[in-house]
């Protein structure tokens, strides 16, 4: 077995791009968003920055990076960005991914699934902590590298050279430094900047049901997992507890503005709740058991993205949510890590809980005294805390009420057909979003696509900028002038978009985007107390970072769908999956934008793109 730490010592460091490349890429991203006069002004500021203060900051960043070879240049600034943000984590940062149902329908019972997934999660944690979790490797050419032969050969390569050995066969071992925060971790609210807290010694699970908090040990003092039948017994006990919902559910506090929550937390601690809060913060993870079944995919998305606010603890590294009908999902806090780590965890626990379930529908819970093993946490609340919870609930309910979620599955085609036509599936999905927005609002706006840089030591993410002069030209041709262009001309425009998007994706994945570099330079200027350069005060810079279309994709046999809130009040949050034969989109929006209409425009765009690729004539 290759241990997950095996590749760490030889992992490549995240490169700091050349400043001139960053400026060129930045201007390329600005071009479709600005008119000629605006672009000239932005170009002038950018070149002035490149020759002057930008050059000085870049040199300082490179020097600082070479003195911190244990990490990446983006790590500190990126943690700061997340932890200094004062907005509530729910809807602004936390994302969700829901699991597919267990293929064996009788295993989708709430108690059975909660037990099996909890056991699989603890198995994963123990495997990881023992150092036996297989490395996460991205295989560009799986036929050559995702094989037993490769694993056998790479074992004999010294670990200091192992990354290079994998690289030779187009396999990229991914950074796994975030994984330790999956368990026993929480984000603590503090004034001005939150803290990440991890206590690996804690042995208990936190379970939320009906707004009540319960804890019980899932690992014994020797580090062994409790018997699955005991975990089943304790969960059954919690599910049959008919305690009323608390009049002031504490969960709402974790949905508050971070400074407000920090002050309320101090009040909680001063009011004799230190031990109970410590149990919450240090728990292995939070299991949220909901008392209702899921009605449809929209209801599923609302449940997993925000829920009712009382039965979640949004600050935990993740909440494993299981509804009355056994539908499961994960809502995760984003500061500690990215989707890559959470997805690996989800894939493993889905596979383990469905192929090697710890208990079956016939299994009997152990005859143990759960009333002694399970502790219901009791919080002492004064009037100020009660008022704080009431206000947090009002704000939470008010925000959630304004959130729209709209879903669609387009069955025109998917990965298989697009690859056959030699165009990138991701590029086509992104082109459809550009075309849809152009059809709906007659403009091209700042767009964000998340790309992992986990192929590098302590890599996080980089931004792909899908709105380009190519997508703008293509959108105009399809929306305004389809009748004046031949099918061949439209096909050519799609291919151009695909090639350009492919280039942007490759650059971003190799740490050669421009967003993180500019972000790092800005962070450095502010930390040194330098006056913020004019370049960053340009309205066009602010506009580019006001991401009206924010997108993220993932596909996995374990995941049914994923989603997140809009990152700006007048934006769309687009979670999408490109499957072999269909494309799924999950769009979030607030009242300033019509998500339903945007989704209809996406469907129309995908239909048009597929028809053109099939050689059919389309009308505007």
């Amino acid at each position: 077995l290759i241990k997950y730490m095996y590749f760490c010592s030889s992992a490549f460091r995240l490169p700091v791009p050349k400043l001139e490349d960053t400026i060129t890429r930045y201007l390329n991203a600005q071009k479709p968003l600005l008119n000629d006069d605006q672009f000239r002004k932005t170009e002038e500021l950018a070149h002035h920055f490149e020759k002057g203060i930008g050059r000085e900051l870049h040199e300082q960043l490179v020097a600082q990076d070479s003195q911190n070879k244990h990490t990446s240049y983006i790590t500190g600034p990126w943690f700061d960005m997340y932890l200094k943000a004062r907005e509530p984590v729910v809807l602004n940062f936390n994302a969700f991914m829901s699991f597919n149902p267990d293929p064996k329908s009788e295993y989708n019972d709430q108690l059975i699934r909660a037990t099996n997934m909890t056991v699989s999660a603890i198995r994963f944690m123990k495997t990881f902590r023992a150092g036996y979790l297989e490395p996460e490797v991205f295989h560009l050419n799986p036929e050559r590298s995702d094989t037993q032969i490769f694993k056998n050969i790479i074992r004999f390569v010294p670990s200091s050279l192992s990354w290079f050995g994998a690289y030779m066969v187009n396999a990229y071992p991914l950074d796994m430094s975030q994984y330790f925060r999956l368990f026993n971790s929480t984000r603590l609210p503090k004034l001005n900047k939150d803290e990440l807290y991890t206590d690996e010694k804690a042995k208990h699970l936190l379970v939320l049901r009906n707004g009540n908090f319960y804890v019980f040990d899932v690992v014994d003092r020797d580090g062994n997992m409790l018997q699955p039948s005991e975990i089943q017994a304790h969960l059954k006990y919690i599910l049959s507890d008919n305690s009323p919902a608390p009049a002031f559910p504490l969960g709402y506090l974790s949905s508050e503005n971070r400074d407000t929550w920090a002050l309320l937390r101090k009040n909680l601690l001063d009011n004799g709740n230190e031990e109970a809060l410590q149990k919450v913060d240090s728990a292995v993870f939070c299991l949220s058991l909901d008392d209702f079944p899921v009605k449809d995919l929209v209801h599923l998305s609302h449940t997993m993205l925000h829920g009712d606010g009382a039965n979640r603890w949004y600050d935990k590294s993740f909440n494993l949510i299981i509804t009355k009908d056994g539908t499961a999902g994960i809502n995760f806090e984003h500061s500690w890590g990215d989707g890559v780590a959470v997805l690996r965890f989800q894939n493993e626990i889905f596979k383990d809980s469905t192929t090697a379930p710890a208990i079956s529908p016939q299994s009997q819970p152990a005859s143990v005294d759960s009333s002694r093993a399970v502790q219901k946490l009791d919080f002492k609340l004064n009037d100020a805390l009660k008022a704080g919870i009431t206000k947090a609930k009002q704000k939470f309910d008010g925000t959630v009420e304004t959130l729209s979620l709209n879903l669609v599955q387009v069955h025109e085609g998917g990965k298989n057909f697009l690859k056959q036509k030699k165009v990138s599936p991701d590029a086509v999905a992104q082109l459809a979003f550009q075309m849809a927005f152009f059809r709906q609002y007659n403009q091209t706006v700042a767009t964000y696509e998340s790309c992992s840089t986990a192929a590098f030591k302590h890599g996080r993410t980089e931004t792909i900028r899908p709105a380009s002069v190519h997508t703008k030209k293509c959108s105009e041709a399809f929306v305004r002038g389809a009748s004046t262009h031949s099918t061949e001309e439209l096909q050519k425009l799609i291919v151009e978009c695909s090639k350009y998007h492919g280039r942007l994706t490759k650059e971003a994945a190799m740490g050669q985007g421009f967003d993180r570099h500019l972000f790092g330079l800005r962070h450095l200027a502010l930390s040194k107390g330098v006056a913020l350069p004019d370049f960053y005060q340009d309205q066009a810079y602010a506009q580019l970072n006001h991401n009206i279309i924010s997108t993220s994709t993932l596909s996995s046999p374990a995941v049914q769908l994923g989603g997140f809130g809009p990152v700006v009040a007048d934006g769309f949050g687009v979670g999408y999956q490109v499957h072999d034969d269909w494309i799924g989109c999950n769009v979030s929006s607030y009242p300033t934008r019509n998500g339903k209409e945007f989704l209809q425009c996406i469907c129309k765009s995908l239909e048009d793109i597929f028809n053109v690729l099939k050689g059919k004539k389309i009308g505007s």
Side-chain angles (χ1 to χ4, degrees), residues 292-308:
F292 54 83
V294 162
K295 297 186 208 120
D296 52 36
L297 291 179
V298 171
H299 182 224
L300 168 69
S301 292
H302 279 290
T303 301
M304 300 304 170
L305 183 58
H306 55 77
D308 67 353

Side-chain angles (χ1 to χ4, degrees), residues 111-127 183 205 216 218-219 225-232 235 284-285 287 320 322 345 348-349 352-353 356-359:
L111 175 61
I112 303 291
R113 203 161 197 208
T115 306
N116 282 329
M117 285 197 149
T118 298
V119 169
S120 293
I122 297 162
R123 283 175 183 162
F124 179 95
M125 177 183 81
K126 284 179 60 61
T127 307
F183 304 104
L205 179 71
F216 64 86
V218 285
V219 176
M225 180 174 67
L226 239 63
Q227 287 299 321
S229 59
E230 288 181 63
I231 293 174
Q232 182 187 6
L235 291 177
V284 172
F285 62 89
L287 173 66
L320 172 59
I322 302 183
F345 171 64
E348 298 276 357
I349 70 166
D352 189 63
S353 66
I359 64 160

Side-chain angles (χ1 to χ4, degrees), residues 186 290 362 383 398 421 424 449 553 588 591 600 614:
T186 200
D290 284 346
Q362 288 73 45
D383 288 346
K421 293 293 174 188
S424 149
E449 179 182 357
T553 186
S588 62
Q600 286 164 352
K614 286 169 187 168

Side-chain angles (χ1 to χ4, degrees), residues 156-216:
F156 297 104
V157 177
S159 115
S160 58
L161 298 173
S162 58
W163 210 101
F164 300 92
Y167 182 74
M168 297 305 286
V169 288
N170 264 345
Y172 296 87
L174 302 183
D175 178 80
M176 294 172 75
S177 61
Q178 298 172 2
Y179 283 48
F180 82 100
R181 293 267 190 212
L182 269 166
F183 304 104
N184 301 98
S185 297
T186 200
R187 174 175 173 161
L188 301 179
K190 301 278 180 181
L191 285 174
N192 304 320
K193 183 184 173 182
D194 292 355
E195 280 172 21
L196 291 175
Y197 168 83
T198 302
D199 176 8
E200 292 187 359
K201 291 192 284 293
K203 297 172 171 25
H204 61 279
L205 179 71
L206 170 66
V207 183
L208 265 53
R209 178 170 169 259
N210 205 14
N212 290 305
F213 288 59
Y214 307 83
V215 292
F216 64 86

Side-chain angles (χ1 to χ4, degrees), residues 68-114:
N68 290 280
K69 292 191 172 159
H70 62 286
T71 187
S72 74
Y73 77 90
I74 201 61
T75 303
W78 210 238
F79 274 124
D80 272 2
M81 181 273 296
Y82 273 122
L83 297 173
K84 284 181 176 174
R86 299 293 83 193
E87 300 89 353
V89 292
V90 63
L91 296 184
N92 292 304
F93 295 104
N94 286 28
F96 86 87
M97 293 190 268
S98 71
F99 288 96
N100 274 315
D102 191 305
K104 302 183 291 299
S105 59
E106 68 274 20
Y107 281 77
N108 289 310
D109 168 87
Q110 187 177 28
L111 175 61
I112 303 291
R113 203 161 197 208

Side-chain angles (χ1 to χ4, degrees), residues 418 423-431 433 449 464 501 505 553 576 578:
L418 294 169
V423 288
S424 149
D426 189 60
V428 165
Q430 289 291 343
L431 175 59
F433 306 150
E449 179 182 357
I464 300 167
H501 188 78
T505 304
T553 186
Y576 65 103
V578 185

